[in-house]
Amino acid sequence: MSKTGYFTHPDCRRHEMGRGHPECPERLDAIDDRLLVTGVADALDRREAPLAGESRLALAHSRRHIESIQALAAELQEMGKGGLSDHLYIDPDTAMNPHSYTAFLRAAGAAVAATDAVIAGEMENAFCAVRPPGHHACRERAMGFCVFNNVAIAALHALENHGLKRVAIVDFDVHHGNGTEDILAGDERVLMVGLFQHPFYPYSGTNPRADNMVNVPVPAYTKGDKIRPMIEDVWLPRLEEFKPEMIFISAGFDAHREDDLGQLGLVEDDYKWITQQIKDVAKKHAKGRIVSSLEGGYNLGALGRSVEAHLRVLADL
Ligand SMILES: [Zn+2]
């Protein structure tokens, strides 16, 4: 059995938000290409992401939000028949084309299916190479390229449908995971640890909304040598004390030095180190169970190399 699952689906490439948008289909090609050329792909248990059911979306989102996205999807289908423009904007950064709704369900479905497979013991851990990302998606609204919160849905699925009692979420994207915080602040079954550039989009996270949100704001131009001790001093003691039964990762790679969407200075070695810290906690308390899902990462070369580094640790390569 492969130790590490890799969940993805071609439908995730068909969602696109207009020419020049950084959250583009080529991101997934960059990851796939890198994993193929380095041989890492051979070591992974590759699986097709299923479509998430509505009941799964409703774990993290209001009925009103789900229905508003479905209404846009229906409108796009109608527009398609008339040959009109094929994008609708949900917020200034976030658009839908006629294929987007299916991609949304695949992205959430990947995280849910990965959770099922890991809890069933079919694999120790898993990575979801999906788009759109999810960590800015709030209970009531889409924002910042995100529509449904893939990681929050999967974490709640583990709690509600698999009977786990404590799960941790680790978010190392350059942006604060405000959507995950919106959905899970105050839920004592969840501990979220995050780091993000501050001050920076979405300009939140410095006043945590509840004790289960452990945020580490980091000034622009900080590198790994300063970030590693912050993780050791702030994240690790809380994770250790919490003893999660499973760990979810909002794996954004836009804190990479070469990524122009943020100004932090992480490199591949830092992603390796961070992943190893998470894995050590998972080994100790959670039977090694980790589900990691792609969030940001917009420099295609750096994204491919960083995901490779992350997966090499997850898969012991
Ligand atoms: Zn980001």
Side-chain angles (χ1 to χ4, degrees), residues 17-85:
M17 297 190 279
R19 192 176 301 169
H21 198 295
E23 207 288 274
C24 60
E26 291 76 12
R27 299 177 63 229
L28 296 182
D29 301 331
I31 293 170
D32 252 359
D33 287 354
R34 182 74 194 176
L35 298 180
L36 278 171
V37 80
T38 54
V40 170
D42 297 336
L44 306 175
D45 180 351
R46 189 183 175 106
R47 300 201 185 181
E48 279 213 336
L51 298 166
E54 251 183 78
S55 64
R56 301 297 183 242
L57 306 180
L59 289 166
H61 297 285
S62 67
R63 185 59 54 191
R64 195 172 65 175
H65 174 54
I66 297 166
E67 285 172 359
S68 76
I69 299 301
Q70 288 170 337
L72 289 173
E75 196 180 327
L76 279 157
Q77 295 306 323
E78 281 306 306
M79 284 163 59
K81 287 177 198 155
L84 298 169
S85 150

Side-chain angles (χ1 to χ4, degrees), residues 135-136 173-175 252 254 295-298:
H135 76 152
H136 296 307
D173 190 277
V174 79
H175 304 97
D254 41 8
E295 302 283 1
Y298 304 100

